[in-house]
């Protein structure tokens, strides 16, 4: 084939992350890219998301405004970048490129990619902050976790898997004034849906 589009069958994206839907071709002499259209099919309805023609780049669906882009000056690369992925972005995306030949005939090729947006697994990072310098001042332990919101926190006194006492359901565990009896092991649990 003189002009052929290449892409991938399936792309997995993480909610609130970004993903690129590949759509590339080898530029061929005598053919110029005339129109590029990215459309999406979901629930048996097809909508045009992005169109590039002589008049410029146009994002036609408001839900994708400021979230989709196609490389500008990269000949042969018509890949679609989607940022801040939402769960409803899952669907079938078609990249359609129309070339014009020297004798003004048009050639159209398309490639379809299925996108699946998944909620990311929570990655846990605990950060413990405490001040031992002045027993009279307020002291706190703060738990920090990154992942898909909402994130719930629980503070325990004891050891994970052993005997433990639930102290708080907040990210921060605070004491107005520390006493010697407060010394010991504490741990935090962070979880999301």
């Amino acid at each position: 084939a003189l002009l052929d589009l290449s892409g991938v069958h399936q792309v997995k994206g993480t909610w609130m992350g970004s993903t690129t839907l590949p759509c590339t071709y080898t530029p061929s002499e005598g053919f110029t890219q005339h129109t590029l259209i990215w459309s999406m099919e979901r629930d048996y309805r097809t909508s045009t998301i992005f169109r590039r023609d002589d008049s410029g780049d146009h994002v036609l669906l408001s839900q994708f405004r400021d979230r989709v882009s196609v490389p500008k000056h990269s000949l042969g690369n018509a890949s679609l970048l989607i940022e801040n992925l939402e769960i409803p972005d899952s669907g079938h995306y078609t990249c359609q490129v129309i070339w014009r030949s020297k004798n003004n005939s048009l050639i159209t090729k398309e490639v379809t990619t299925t996108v699946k947006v998944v909620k990311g697994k929570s990655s846990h990072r605990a950060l413990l902050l405490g001040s031992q310098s002045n027993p009279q001042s307020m002291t706190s332990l703060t738990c920090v976790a990154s992942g898909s919101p909402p994130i719930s926190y629980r503070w325990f006194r004891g050891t994970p898997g052993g005997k433990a006492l639930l102290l708080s359901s907040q990210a921060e565990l605070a004491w107005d004034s520390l006493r010697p009896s407060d010394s010991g092991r504490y741990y935090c649990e962070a979880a999301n849906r």
Side-chain angles (χ1 to χ4, degrees):
L2 191 59
L3 285 164
D4 215 0
L5 285 182
S6 61
V8 293
H9 290 301
Q10 191 165 17
V11 169
K12 247 191 181 155
T14 308
W15 181 60
M16 296 312 284
S18 62
T19 192
T20 298
L21 312 191
C23 179
T24 56
Y25 63 91
T26 306
S28 186
E29 237 181 274
F31 292 90
T32 51
Q33 183 177 304
H34 180 260
T35 310
L36 162 68
I37 295 168
W38 272 99
S39 58
M40 175 201 193
E41 184 204 329
R42 188 159 185 264
D43 305 328
Y44 307 105
R45 283 207 327 270
T46 302
S47 313
T48 300
I49 300 169
F50 178 92
R51 182 183 170 97
R52 174 177 287 167
D53 54 28
D54 299 341
S55 67
D57 289 3
H58 309 281
V59 177
L60 297 146
L61 275 185
S62 59
Q63 73 195 64
F64 287 103
R65 199 141 296 144
D66 302 326
R67 294 200 299 126
V68 295
S69 58
V70 174
K72 269 244 184 348
H73 305 292
S74 176
L75 200 60
N77 186 357
S79 303
L80 182 74
L81 169 69
I82 308 176
E83 297 176 277
N84 296 326
L85 283 163
E86 304 280 354
I87 298 297
D89 292 344
S90 297
H92 305 290
Y93 290 75
T94 300
C95 170
Q96 182 186 68
V97 178
I98 303 167
W99 295 273
R100 185 185 291 277
S101 70
K102 279 184 176 151
N103 66 6
N104 269 342
S105 62
L106 298 178
I107 293 178
T108 303
K109 293 277 168 105
E110 52 185 48
V111 62
T112 299
T113 302
T114 301
V115 175
K116 189 157 176 51
V117 181
V118 292
K119 288 233 175 176
K121 291 194 171 51
S122 157
S123 55
H124 302 287
R125 277 198 329 256
L127 174 68
L128 305 182
L129 307 166
S131 75
Q132 281 83 30
S133 53
N134 182 356
Q136 266 61 51
S137 68
M138 191 178 139
T139 303
S140 66
L141 295 173
T142 305
C143 188
V144 178
S146 61
S148 305
I151 298 174
S152 63
Y153 299 94
R154 294 195 309 169
W155 273 104
F156 295 91
R157 180 171 182 171
T159 50
K163 279 183 80 171
L165 176 68
L166 175 65
L167 299 173
S168 167
S169 296
Q170 305 294 321
E172 186 180 52
L173 179 62
W175 292 266
D176 290 332
S177 61
L178 279 178
R179 296 184 195 84
S181 60
D182 292 322
S183 59
R185 284 176 169 266
Y186 294 84
Y187 72 94
C188 162
E189 271 182 6
N192 64 7
R193 281 186 295 207

